[in-house]
Amino acid sequence: MSSAAIPLSSGKRKHPTWIYYLFPSVAVMLVFFVYPILLTFFYSFTNLALTGESAKELKFVGLDNYIRMFADPSVKISIWNTLVFLFGSAVVGQQVLGFIIAILMKHKNKTFRRAIGTVVLAGWVTPEIVCALCLYSFFADEGTLNALLAFFGIHTVAWLYTVPMLTIILANIWHGTAFSMLVFQAALDDVPQEIEEAALVDGASKWKILTTIILPYIKGTITTNMMLVTLQTLGVFGLIYAMTGGGPGTATTTLPIFMYNQAFVNYQLGYGTAISLLLLLMGVVLSLFYIRSLKE
Amino acid sequence: MTANQRKIIYRILPYAMLMFIGICFLLPLLWVLVASVDPNAMQSLKLPGSVTINNYAEVIASRPNQRAFLIGLIMSLGQAALVVLLGLLAAYPLSRYQLKYKKPFMLTILFMTSLPITAVMVPVYQLFLSIKLYDNIAGVILFHVASSMPYGIWMLKNFMDSVPSDMEEAAWVDGASVFTGIRKIVAPLMVPGICTVAIFTFSGSWGNFFVPYILLNTPEKFPAALKLYQFFGQYGMVDYGKLAAFSVLYAIPSVVLYMLSQQFMSKGFGLQGGTKG
């Protein structure tokens, strides 16, 4: 209840002066964070560009960027790629794999748990660009995976060209699963032991205990984690950019990569911000969707 | 299959599955570690014929690399220090005073912590061009501070809520100012919280690639993350040994800080833990 404390010394003043302590941080956030977000709305209705005619004069173009966006087939491809990447690496990959690791680790030998946990965590702690390099080398034509396949006499595959989306999904799983694993380990520890034991005595199978006791009990954690992981995955840029550059062709061009290409390669900043807004909107819609399902 | 055999399989199966997962996670990592000490490193994992520290020595001896690491360090340290300092100041009234708009403010902060930064980079770039902060290291630090501020305030406020206010009030009675109260009483009791926020902020900035990639232009100003990308972005003929050694050196601060942070977060990683109050 410490938050309710009213200081003795400042009783005579209406507002204690330390309310001003908030100002520096709020100012920094307003100028460098909130203002750019507001600018996103503004610029997305302009012809802002770095080169050419429109670079000289900023003009309102109304909904032009949005009309262009919906007519642009590569936008559809990017949205689709983003959804595939989200579903594969965040929902199925990190969530499910993280949960499986956490539940398999329950009641296991402590040293063994720690060893596996450390390896999974290493991927999480490793900076994005190092992850990209490690996984790029793993999937490259002369990389570790093909060397292993060749060793066992199996045909090698040009992974980064034939299944590029799969490689970035696996890379993101490698990088991010530890977070879900940690979250689920903590959640599983909170499930009351007695209920599980009682069910076991009553002859319930392990599968039954998992689906009727454990999963309902940690439902809130699953939803919150899903939301965090989804939002985090939505913004992934460096990993994909460094591994495949969005290619080959447009095979791994997710919205952040597409936005980057439009804004910084083609110098169409106005169009780029319209795409940013689409990205923000996707984040908001997905979050609302998760929050809704949490309430039900 | 007898009941006994089934029992044995049930016992072994989880271990086997975990082993398999562990190996899958280990292989890409093992490559970077082994290649960094291999004088003839290749793109695939292989047992080195001999072991050398030359790769590391060459990476460390290079002037441009030293500068990249130093810039990264300045950026990350500067960001962490500013986030903790400003965050503590902001957390104080939020924790100790009944503000009229506290709830919507805190909810806005929470919402901001989860916004994908990627989505605001284009307008930030434009903003930085117009206020002449583009290609400026201090500018990168400022944006980093702003974007990690919501998380910093949120965490520090929650940590501060758990510091009892009695002692502080006693100090006021003895004539201490509010600021002295924060510095001498609240801050020391919040050391674990401050360290957690500082470590998370530092690591986030140290590992970040996109923000400096957009906001910086001169290669001489690139932090380690960009230097590494430059290094292997040019594919073709690459000295994998040196590349791997650079990667390991660059990853070390993140790993060490993560291990340190474990000490401060004894209560594991529950999502509820940090968001109470």
Side-chain angles (χ1 to χ4, degrees), chain A residues 1-9 14-16 18-22 24-26 28-29 31-37 39-40 43 48 50 97 100-101 104-105 107-109 112 116 119-130 132-138 140-144 147-148 173-175 177-179 182-183 186-187 190 220-221 224-225 227-228 231-232 234-238 241-245 256 259-260 263-264 267 269-270 272-273 276-277 279-280 283-284, chain B residues 11 13-19 21-29 31-32 42-45 86-99 102 105 109 111-131 133 139 142-143 145-147 149-150 153 157 160-165 169 172-173 178-179 182 200 206-210 213-214 225 228-229 232 235 240 243-244 246-248 250-251 254-256 258 262 267-272:
Chain A
M1 285 299 104
S2 51
S3 59
I6 304 291
L8 306 166
S9 55
K14 200 161 176 231
H15 292 292
W18 28 272
I19 188 89
Y20 301 117
Y21 292 180
L22 266 169
S25 53
V26 171
V28 174
M29 282 193 292
V31 175
F32 294 107
F33 202 43
V34 178
Y35 180 55
I37 294 174
L39 277 182
T40 310
Y43 284 149
L48 184 66
L50 282 183
L97 184 62
I100 289 175
I101 296 174
L104 285 178
M105 275 193 177
H107 313 303
K108 291 292 174 305
N109 175 293
F112 184 77
I116 301 292
V119 176
V120 177
L121 270 165
W124 188 50
V125 175
T126 303
E128 198 179 20
I129 288 299
V130 179
L133 170 67
C134 288
L135 272 296
Y136 176 79
S137 302
F138 185 74
D141 289 356
E142 312 201 332
T144 307
L148 269 175
I173 292 175
W174 191 79
H175 185 36
T177 298
F179 179 80
L182 291 171
V183 167
D190 281 348
T221 307
T224 321
N225 186 52
M227 188 166 97
L228 291 178
L231 285 172
Q232 211 263 320
L234 204 56
V236 170
F237 174 83
Y241 185 68
M243 270 183 77
T244 66
M259 178 201 78
Y260 174 83
F264 300 106
Y267 301 123
L269 289 178
T273 36
S276 319
L277 212 60
L279 192 63
L280 277 178
V284 173
Chain B
R11 271 223 106 114
L13 197 63
Y15 280 99
M17 285 166 77
L18 283 173
M19 268 305 250
I21 294 171
I23 290 171
C24 289
F25 271 86
L26 186 63
L27 280 176
L29 196 69
W31 170 78
V32 81
M42 307 279 279
Q43 206 170 13
S44 74
L45 181 62
L86 300 186
L88 271 179
L89 285 179
Y92 191 74
L94 289 172
S95 168
R96 294 292 193 256
Y97 188 53
Q98 293 290 4
L99 296 166
K102 183 153 86 182
F105 182 78
I109 294 276
F111 174 71
M112 282 164 70
T113 55
S114 49
L115 273 182
I117 299 300
T118 316
V120 297
M121 279 323 286
V122 184
V124 168
Y125 168 78
Q126 181 60 23
L127 176 71
F128 272 47
L129 274 184
S130 59
I131 58 175
L133 267 178
L142 277 175
F143 176 69
V145 169
S147 61
M149 208 52 160
I153 294 179
K157 187 244 173 205
M160 200 176 272
D161 282 348
S162 59
V163 175
S165 56
E169 281 162 24
W172 293 339
V173 174
V178 172
F179 195 72
I182 298 182
F200 266 62
W206 183 256
N208 191 303
F209 166 77
F210 194 44
Y213 188 60
I214 297 297
L228 178 58
Y229 174 71
F232 91 96
Y235 301 99
Y240 287 107
L243 188 54
F246 190 106
S247 303
V248 173
Y250 167 54
S254 305
V255 176
V256 170
Y258 176 77
Q262 286 313 94
K267 192 77 187 79
F269 213 81
L271 279 179
Q272 300 88 346

Side-chain angles (χ1 to χ4, degrees), chain A residues 2-160:
Chain A
S2 51
S3 59
I6 304 291
L8 306 166
S9 55
S10 54
K12 44 194 145 104
R13 257 172 286 152
K14 200 161 176 231
H15 292 292
T17 46
W18 28 272
I19 188 89
Y20 301 117
Y21 292 180
L22 266 169
F23 287 7
S25 53
V26 171
V28 174
M29 282 193 292
L30 280 178
V31 175
F32 294 107
F33 202 43
V34 178
Y35 180 55
I37 294 174
L38 297 177
L39 277 182
T40 310
F41 290 93
F42 173 71
Y43 284 149
S44 71
F45 296 105
T46 68
N47 64 347
L48 184 66
L50 282 183
T51 54
E53 280 298 297
S54 50
K56 289 170 203 140
E57 203 179 351
L58 189 66
K59 259 204 328 240
F60 262 96
V61 294
L63 290 173
D64 276 11
N65 286 325
Y66 293 94
I67 293 165
R68 181 176 161 195
M69 205 161 75
F70 286 112
D72 190 343
S74 31
V75 171
K76 288 188 195 90
I77 295 171
S78 308
I79 294 177
W80 174 248
N81 284 342
T82 311
L83 290 175
V84 172
F85 182 66
L86 271 181
F87 186 76
S89 79
V91 182
V92 177
Q94 296 184 12
Q95 279 263 126
V96 175
L97 184 62
F99 182 78
I100 289 175
I101 296 174
I103 199 129
L104 285 178
M105 275 193 177
K106 240 185 140 190
H107 313 303
K108 291 292 174 305
N109 175 293
K110 219 173 181 177
T111 321
F112 184 77
R113 270 177 72 145
R114 180 161 295 175
I116 301 292
T118 307
V119 176
V120 177
L121 270 165
W124 188 50
V125 175
T126 303
E128 198 179 20
I129 288 299
V130 179
C131 283
L133 170 67
C134 288
L135 272 296
Y136 176 79
S137 302
F138 185 74
F139 287 116
D141 289 356
E142 312 201 332
T144 307
L145 185 56
N146 277 344
L148 269 175
L149 290 179
F151 180 79
F152 288 111
I154 306 170
H155 259 293
T156 59
V157 179
W159 302 99
L160 290 155

